[in-house]
Amino acid sequence: MIGFADEALIEVRSGNGGNGCVAFRREKYVPHGGPNGGDGGKGGDIVFVVKRNLRTLAKIRHKHCFKAKNGGDGQGWNRYGADGEDCVIPVPPGTTIKDAETDEIIYDFTTASGDERFVFLKGGNGGWGNVHFKTSTNQAPRHANPGIHGETRFLKLELSIMADVGLVGFPNAGKSSLLTFFTNARPKIAPYPFTTIIPNLGVLRIDDESDIIIADIPGIIEGASEGLGLGDTFLKHITRTSCLIFMIDCSDDNYLTAYDTLCNELANYSDELMEKPRIVLCNKIDVEGAFERAVEVADRIRKNEPETCVIPVSVVTGRGMKDAQHNIIKLVNSQQKTENVFDNKNEEFGSSFMKSRSSSDDFDDTEIQYPGSEG
């Protein structure tokens, strides 16, 4: 998403109504014809329409001012002025419209279905032509109404990406690689921190009728909720996700504290984030010694959060990725059905690597034994 923008300050103006016309019939054999001035046309409206294929506010931010067309003036022979064309502003799902001065929320596009419409400003009504002012005592009125002026407002648009799953992790933890592995997205991937500087979206296809949208959020660092690093600019993009995937780099020295640090940053930003169901993926187990570290991470997390599913994976080699995909799908489906997340997950998918598995497409039984368990 080149030129990504999640905020925009704009000016919007609805159209003015057209003026009414003062006119009279002037025909050869009708020397004293009555009034026949037509009405002015209605001014155009300001309309916001959500479009599912949009992912950024960049085009809106660069345009700044949006004006609807004015209504046409009325004309003789009772000809009405044309109505002004509406100004239709397409926005991505998850866009919030606020008053730029008071920060009051005016409208929130929380649906991702597309084509939801919101008429924000009505155009001014057209003025009446003099034909409306004819009376028994005033057969030739020389008065018509001017059109009503439209409105002008200054707005602030904010975008919170709508996704089913949000990826959370430190820079270079493998979030973009995971998105590439599971979806059709092709974010920039490189072996250095902050490769991702804008949110990326990908679609995990389940079947012909359903899919899961995954959002890769730029890496979080300690203090991000207070503005450090990329700051809290992108933390808002995971507030509307149904669930979270925590990516832990088990080849890094901070592998034991990474999960707690990430949770603290999310909690400092919003308590609501910590209530979302989650999966923890211990990545890079292809690196020497990383698998043993993944076991330590799992042991540490499960002591405090026994319901949290922890899975060792290597995005590079694909080990554990099939198991991770099964559990991501199950997590999203369970969340959508408002059921208990991961009921019987160990028996159904064999995802807990706290216990041995009798068969696996990704691991040998001897390799994934939890320390102290018997195979």
Side-chain angles (χ1 to χ4, degrees):
M1 282 187 282
I2 299 175
F4 177 83
D6 57 4
E7 292 185 355
L9 292 173
I10 62 173
E11 177 185 357
V12 293
R13 300 178 186 175
S14 58
N16 299 330
N19 298 319
C21 176
V22 176
F24 300 91
R25 290 179 61 191
R26 289 294 182 264
E27 300 175 54
K28 184 175 182 179
Y29 298 106
V30 188
H32 301 290
N36 67 354
D39 300 342
K42 175 184 173 298
D45 301 335
I46 296 292
V47 183
F48 289 91
V49 179
V50 64
K51 294 295 184 182
R52 188 171 184 177
N53 62 327
L54 290 180
R55 299 300 180 197
T56 176
L57 297 172
K59 291 184 178 180
I60 294 177
R61 184 171 68 177
H62 292 152
K63 187 173 181 181
H64 299 298
C65 187
F66 295 83
K67 303 177 183 178
K69 298 295 185 181
N70 295 330
D73 293 337
Q75 300 180 41
W77 297 98
N78 292 317
R79 288 176 292 181
Y80 286 11
D83 289 342
E85 184 179 350
D86 294 340
C87 177
V88 179
I89 306 174
V91 295
T95 299
T96 301
I97 303 174
K98 295 183 177 181
D99 186 283
E101 298 178 357
T102 65
D103 212 38
E104 176 187 359
I105 295 178
I106 297 172
Y107 197 83
D108 192 0
F109 287 103
T110 57
T111 179
S113 60
D115 296 330
E116 181 182 350
R117 294 174 60 89
F118 168 56
V119 180
F120 174 54
L121 294 181
K122 290 281 191 179
N125 290 327
W128 279 359
N130 67 336
V131 69
H132 292 279
F133 299 97
K134 178 181 177 180
T135 65
S136 58
T137 58
N138 186 5
Q139 297 291 323
R142 296 184 176 276
H143 169 73
N145 283 342
I148 297 176
H149 289 288
E151 299 181 69
T152 299
R153 293 283 296 275
F154 292 91
L155 302 176
K156 180 180 181 181
L157 305 186
E158 294 182 353
L159 171 63
S160 295
I161 288 177
M162 304 287 289
D164 298 302
V165 179
L167 298 180
V168 180
F170 287 126
N172 210 33
K175 302 185 299 298
S176 296
S177 297
L178 181 79
L179 191 71
T180 301
F181 188 95
F182 280 150
T183 75
N184 56 354
R186 293 297 178 265
K188 181 180 179 181
I189 299 174
Y192 53 81
F194 293 111
T195 306
T196 301
I197 58 175
I198 61 173
N200 292 300
L201 293 181
V203 178
L204 172 59
R205 189 69 60 185
I206 300 176
D207 51 44
D208 293 337
E209 297 182 356
S210 58
D211 50 51
I212 293 175
I213 299 177
I214 301 177
D216 172 22
I217 307 301
I220 299 172
I221 67 171
E222 188 171 3
S225 59
E226 300 175 358
L228 294 182
L230 292 177
D232 58 358
T233 305
F234 296 114
L235 282 174
K236 65 183 178 183
H237 291 300
I238 58 177
T239 58
R240 288 180 174 174
T241 57
S242 300
C243 46
L244 302 175
I245 298 176
F246 284 76
M247 293 287 291
I248 306 298
D249 182 358
C250 288
S251 69
D252 199 353
D253 293 338
N254 70 345
Y255 68 99
L256 274 180
T257 60
Y259 180 71
D260 291 337
T261 303
L262 291 171
C263 288
N264 288 336
E265 292 304 321
L266 296 188
N268 289 338
Y269 182 78
S270 170
D271 292 334
E272 181 183 351
L273 289 176
M274 292 306 299
E275 299 176 359
K276 294 182 181 293
R278 69 196 65 173
I279 294 175
V280 179
L281 301 183
C282 296
N283 191 24
K284 303 186 181 181
I285 61 170
D286 55 291
V287 177
E288 184 178 357
F291 181 80
E292 290 74 19
R293 291 182 171 189
V295 173
E296 292 184 64
V297 173
D299 189 24
R300 188 183 184 97
I301 294 175
R302 297 281 292 192
K303 283 183 179 179
N304 299 321
E305 302 176 19
E307 74 286 352
T308 299
C309 181
V310 185
I311 307 173
V313 299
S314 170
V315 180
V316 174
T317 65
R319 296 171 63 190
M321 297 301 288
K322 188 173 183 180
D323 200 23
Q325 177 174 330
H326 280 313
N327 281 275
I328 291 171
I329 294 173
K330 185 171 188 290
L331 178 63
V332 173
N333 288 341
S334 298
Q335 183 66 10
Q336 290 175 347
K337 295 176 182 178
T338 63
E339 298 174 350
N340 287 331
V341 180
F342 291 112
D343 281 345
N344 304 317
K345 62 177 179 294
N346 292 341
E347 293 79 4
E348 193 163 347
F349 287 113
S351 62
S352 171
F353 80 110
M354 301 303 175
K355 52 197 299 189
S356 62
R357 292 192 292 191
S358 58
S359 62
S360 172
D361 294 332
D362 302 304
F363 292 93
D364 294 332
D365 292 338
T366 56
E367 185 180 16
I368 63 168
Q369 297 302 310
Y370 182 74
S373 67
E374 297 182 359

